[in-house]
Amino acid sequence: MTHTLEIKAITPVAHNVFSYDLERPDGFTFEPGQATEVSIDKDGWRDKKRPFTFTSLPDDDRLQFTIKSYPERGGVTDQLSHLLVGDRLIIDEPWGTISYKGKGVFIAGGAGLTPFLAILRAQNESGHLAGHTLLFANRRERDIILQDELDLMPGLTTRHILSQEDKSGYDFGRIDRAYLEKVIEDFDQTFYICGPDQMVEDLKGILDEFGAKPEGLVFEE
């Protein structure tokens, strides 16, 4: 089943990232961390579906997606960045293998943060965010999605890692073997991973070598 939904609000949350709030169809349900296929209700774009994660909470009045734009690709995300309130998106039913499995470490690269936003927001809303850690890798400070919200979440330990800027208050480099060994004391906990495919594969291997349990690794399969 598909749903054609009007955009009710568009909010910039980084220099090339926007949150799109949509009307919510009656009876539509999803779990934090799930995604769906999205296309634009315009000629030439309706069949160009791309997967995006819900960043709203399951009981919010609106559905929300937070999407990074890639103008150089001339594709769906570029078209999305030119839409206006009142335009419409087409979405399918929810799917996905990323879901909350308990307290642990969230490792995100760039737009890979989006599956974790609803999960972290849900834990924050329920008052159970303390003890969670977010390692968030980006190229530059301006690339960080919703930095103010993340930094102000009570109980969440957030470390921002920048690969192309060495700035005070941020870690510099990449989330690699040496970095994880430096910042993680306990590998017997749940690790949530989302980012570029190679980053996810590399981290799965590193965490395995450090003794993380396979059932404790959560990622999109």
Side-chain angles (χ1 to χ4, degrees):
M1 179 181 295
T2 62
H3 307 271
T4 301
L5 307 174
E6 182 179 340
I7 300 174
K8 295 296 188 180
I10 302 174
T11 307
V13 294
H15 79 96
N16 58 353
V17 184
F18 301 87
S19 286
Y20 301 84
D21 288 13
L22 314 179
E23 60 182 331
R24 181 173 185 151
D26 292 339
F28 190 92
T29 61
F30 65 94
E31 295 296 323
Q34 285 191 308
T36 189
E37 298 288 333
V38 179
S39 60
I40 300 168
D41 187 26
K42 289 182 180 291
D43 291 344
W45 293 96
R46 293 184 181 90
D47 62 343
K48 299 183 186 302
K49 297 182 178 182
R50 299 293 184 271
F52 296 113
T53 308
F54 297 100
T55 52
S56 49
L57 294 178
D59 57 356
D60 285 348
D61 293 335
R62 294 178 176 177
L63 299 179
Q64 184 189 80
F65 300 94
T66 301
I67 300 172
K68 183 176 181 177
S69 174
Y70 297 90
E72 68 278 4
R73 299 179 185 177
V76 171
T77 65
D78 179 48
Q79 288 296 311
L80 284 168
S81 70
H82 297 294
L83 295 184
L84 303 173
V85 170
D87 287 333
R88 297 183 300 176
L89 300 180
I90 304 167
I91 73 169
D92 291 345
E93 293 300 302
W95 53 265
T97 57
I98 292 179
S99 62
Y100 185 65
K101 303 294 186 183
K103 192 176 297 184
V105 179
F106 294 82
I107 306 176
L113 173 74
T114 56
F116 303 150
L117 276 173
I119 294 175
L120 294 172
R121 286 169 169 173
Q123 293 304 306
N124 186 35
E125 187 176 74
S126 67
H128 297 134
L129 194 56
H132 295 78
T133 298
L134 171 65
L135 306 180
F136 191 16
N138 286 279
R139 291 186 176 89
R140 302 177 180 86
E141 181 185 7
R142 70 172 189 162
D143 297 322
I144 300 174
I145 299 170
L146 292 166
Q147 181 176 1
D148 289 345
E149 178 181 352
L150 295 171
D151 290 350
L152 291 174
M153 280 188 173
L156 177 67
T157 299
T158 300
R159 300 183 71 116
H160 296 290
I161 303 95
L162 305 179
S163 63
Q164 296 183 8
E165 283 183 335
D166 191 355
K167 303 186 68 171
S168 176
Y170 301 87
D171 294 345
F172 177 66
R174 299 182 182 276
I175 302 178
D176 54 16
R177 183 189 312 275
Y179 184 82
L180 290 178
E181 193 170 26
K182 181 176 69 173
V183 302
I184 302 295
E185 295 181 359
D186 177 18
F187 287 91
D188 186 20
Q189 58 179 316
T190 303
F191 289 89
Y192 303 82
I193 313 169
C194 191
D197 290 345
Q198 191 60 55
M199 173 186 175
V200 173
E201 288 304 309
D202 290 347
L203 288 173
K204 284 164 55 181
I206 293 167
L207 289 168
D208 179 66
E209 291 178 17
F210 280 136
K213 298 176 181 177
E215 63 270 22
L217 301 182
V218 180
F219 54 93
E220 198 64 70
E221 300 187 53

